[in-house]
Amino acid sequence: MSRVGRIVSEFRAGARAFLRRRTAVFFTFFFPVLIVLIFGVLVQSQPTGGGLFAEPPGYYLPGYLAVVVLFTPLSRVGSEFARHREGSRFEKLATTPLARWEWLFAHTLVNVLVIGAASLLIFGLVVALTGASIAVGPHLLLLVPFVALGVTLFCGLGAVLGRVADSQDGVIAASNSVALPLLFLSETFVTPDLLPAWFRPVTDFSPLTYFARGVRYLTYEGVSGAGAPDPTTLALSDLGVLAVLAAVFFVAGAYAVPSGD
């Protein structure tokens, strides 16, 4: 079987396994929708009120997208990793021509499609329910590589967590321990001016920051003032950083896939 055939075969197996878990399918889409309903509809933004959610609704679209781009790959790949280890499936895979990076690439593709659909749903809900003003134009097509690279990055990190944790419960605990700080300290829902001055540079070390910044440059009309560089140019800069980080984390995740232990 060719390399493409192996990847397609594993992709189909991963997609079927996901669709068979109806609870997982439900919460993959329900959880981010719930976040939008709670923060976007019930809490709402208060542009003149100060504190949290003091920006217009459009500012927080990257945060809502970050929820699904961050949490879903970490939990799904990490849990799949743990199930494979507990069922000795990696030992069986070691007897096949399927390479470690091919296994991770196939499961990353599954997540890209699932999370891409969830992101499209979230985008529509934010616009429809919160009244967010979005900068419409061809530049919005760049959201596709932003989501794909973000998912790839966190699939790699999910594989690393799956290798480190010794059970599915351990994977979930590790995923939440990593995801929650990243979600709120990566220029998503908490604006940099709300953080201590000494801590603000630390957000640049979060890979999720480059996803949030780039998406905000593409979608939020108030992100740049007069005389500022073109937002699309700024977004491309963040996309480049995200691409490099995605490649690094994917390689680390592929290396973490057991070769037969």
Side-chain angles (χ1 to χ4, degrees), residues 19 49 114 139 171 177 195 210 220 246 261:
L19 293 175
V114 170
H139 60 276
V171 168
S177 297
L195 298 172
Y210 298 97
Y220 181 51
D261 60 332

Side-chain angles (χ1 to χ4, degrees), residues 40 44-45 47 55-62 64 126 130-134 220:
Q44 300 184 351
S45 62
E55 302 291 335
Y59 181 90
Y60 299 102
L61 174 61
Y64 296 124
V126 170
T130 70
S133 178
I134 303 298
Y220 181 51

Side-chain angles (χ1 to χ4, degrees), residues 101-120:
W101 74 266
E102 293 172 348
W103 181 90
L104 182 58
F105 185 70
H107 287 270
T108 298
L109 286 178
V110 175
N111 279 277
V112 167
L113 291 179
V114 170
I115 296 168
S119 297
L120 186 61

Side-chain angles (χ1 to χ4, degrees), residues 7-253:
I7 293 174
V8 169
S9 179
E10 185 64 26
F11 168 82
R12 290 175 177 171
R16 287 195 297 268
F18 171 68
L19 293 175
R20 282 198 298 266
R21 302 185 183 96
R22 296 180 180 179
T23 302
V25 174
F26 175 77
F27 281 103
T28 295
F29 292 91
F30 177 74
F31 178 64
V33 169
L34 184 63
I35 295 296
V36 174
L37 293 176
I38 291 175
F39 293 107
V41 178
L42 297 180
V43 176
Q44 300 184 351
S45 62
Q46 303 292 332
T48 60
L52 287 173
F53 295 96
E55 302 291 335
Y59 181 90
Y60 299 102
L61 174 61
Y64 296 124
L65 293 177
V67 171
V68 66
V69 168
L70 172 64
F71 278 88
T72 305
L74 285 181
S75 61
R76 288 203 65 249
V77 173
S79 297
E80 190 70 20
F81 204 102
R83 281 191 292 269
H84 271 61
R85 292 187 68 180
E86 292 172 1
S88 300
R89 298 180 193 175
F90 284 123
E91 294 181 3
K92 298 174 183 177
L93 286 176
T95 64
T96 71
L98 188 70
R100 294 187 290 181
W101 74 266
E102 293 172 348
W103 181 90
L104 182 58
F105 185 70
H107 287 270
T108 298
L109 286 178
V110 175
N111 279 277
V112 167
L113 291 179
V114 170
I115 296 168
S119 297
L120 186 61
L121 173 62
I122 293 169
F123 189 99
L125 284 176
V126 170
V127 173
L129 299 181
T130 70
S133 178
I134 303 298
V136 179
H139 60 276
L140 288 181
L141 292 175
L142 287 173
L143 290 176
V144 175
F146 264 104
V147 171
L149 289 172
V151 172
T152 301
L153 191 158
F154 291 110
C155 280
L157 181 55
V160 173
L161 294 179
R163 181 62 183 264
V164 173
D166 57 359
S167 66
Q168 290 191 48
D169 290 339
V171 168
I172 294 173
S175 297
N176 289 336
S177 297
V178 170
L180 286 174
L182 285 180
L183 181 63
F184 292 104
L185 299 176
S186 302
E187 299 188 17
T188 50
F189 295 106
V190 179
T191 56
D193 58 285
L194 294 179
L195 298 172
W198 63 267
F199 187 82
R200 292 170 195 169
V202 177
T203 62
D204 290 334
F205 291 94
S206 167
L208 192 63
T209 294
Y210 298 97
F211 172 85
R213 284 178 184 168
V215 172
R216 187 167 291 118
Y217 285 135
L218 294 173
T219 60
Y220 181 51
E221 294 177 336
V223 74
S224 60
D230 177 57
T232 303
T233 302
L234 295 173
L236 287 172
S237 176
D238 284 311
L239 184 64
V241 176
L242 191 65
V244 172
L245 293 174
V248 170
F249 277 88
F250 181 84
V251 170

